[in-house]
Amino acid sequence: MPTDAFHSEVSLTVNGSPYCLPLNHRTTVLDVLREQLGLIGAKKGCDHGQCGACTVLVDGRRANSCLMLAVAHEGADITTVEGLRGADDDSLHPLQQAFLERDAFQCGYCTPGQLCSAVGAIAEAAAGDASHVTLPGAANGAPVTLTRDEIRERLSGNLCRCGAYPHIVEAVEDVVR
C-alpha cells in the first residue's frame, strides 16, 4: 500500500465477511464493492445519488454507495444484494422471491438497489420511522403500516427506467403482509 497522506487501510464487513483494504481516500463504497470485491449487484447509474441503483445497507440503513467515501465508513457493516438471504441462508430473501413472483423487474438494472432499499424501508417502518406521507402523530415510535402510499414514498429514491413500479409495490406488499 502506498504510504502517503492519500491512502489508508480501511476495515469493512461486507455481507458478513471482514475486509481490510488499502484505499485511496477518494474511493467510494460503490467502487470498493464493484472493483475490489467483485460484488457487481450495486450499479453505478447516475453517480450522483439520484437514481438509487447503487443502494446498499450500511449498518442496517439504506444508503447510496456512490456518494459514500469508504474511509468515512471504517468498521461499517455493509450488505449488498448478494448478501440478502432467506431464513435458511440457501434460499432467496423473501423480497427476492416476491420480486420473482410479481415480475417486479424488466431489464433488472435497478433491481439490486430496489431490493436493498425495500429491505431498509421495511426495517425503518417497523422501527417507527415516519416518511413524508406518514400521518402526523401516527408513528411516535410505533411501527408504521406500509400502505401503497408509504411504500411508494419510501422507495421513491429508486428509479426504474422500465416502469415496473406497480409490481415492485405489490412485491413489497406481499412481504409485509
Side-chain angles (χ1 to χ4, degrees):
M1 174 177 103
T3 56
D4 60 37
F6 302 108
H7 294 82
S8 295
E9 290 276 333
V10 178
S11 296
L12 302 167
T13 300
V14 181
N15 298 332
S17 297
Y19 295 92
C20 188
L21 304 163
L23 298 175
N24 182 292
H25 291 175
R26 297 169 295 186
T27 305
T28 65
V29 169
L30 178 61
D31 289 336
V32 168
L33 296 172
R34 293 183 61 80
E35 297 171 15
Q36 298 205 8
L37 301 182
L39 299 170
I40 58 171
K43 304 291 190 273
K44 188 175 277 193
C46 66
D47 209 20
H48 296 290
Q50 296 174 344
C51 73
C54 67
T55 304
V56 297
L57 300 170
V58 179
D59 296 327
R61 304 286 294 185
R62 54 199 168 135
N64 292 330
S65 61
C66 73
L67 297 178
M68 303 167 57
L69 294 176
V71 295
H73 291 83
E74 169 71 29
D77 184 7
I78 299 170
T79 303
T80 68
V81 70
E82 293 93 344
L84 297 179
R85 301 278 186 265
D88 64 7
D89 282 349
D90 287 330
S91 61
L92 293 175
H93 185 280
L95 274 166
Q96 291 171 316
Q97 187 63 45
F99 267 57
L100 284 172
E101 291 170 3
R102 288 292 188 166
D103 197 22
F105 53 88
Q106 288 179 29
C107 78
Y109 192 82
C110 72
T111 304
Q114 296 277 4
L115 285 163
C116 286
S117 188
V119 168
I122 290 170
E124 290 163 14
D129 296 346
S131 77
H132 289 291
V133 298
T134 305
L135 296 175
N140 290 333
V144 175
T145 301
L146 284 177
T147 63
R148 282 179 180 244
D149 285 343
E150 281 283 350
I151 294 167
R152 281 192 290 266
E153 172 62 28
R154 289 171 188 269
L155 299 184
S156 65
N158 291 80
L159 304 180
C160 174
R161 296 171 184 162
C162 301
Y165 299 115
H167 298 289
I168 293 169
V169 171
E170 290 168 355
V172 175
E173 283 180 316
D174 288 350
V175 171
V176 297
R177 279 191 207 127

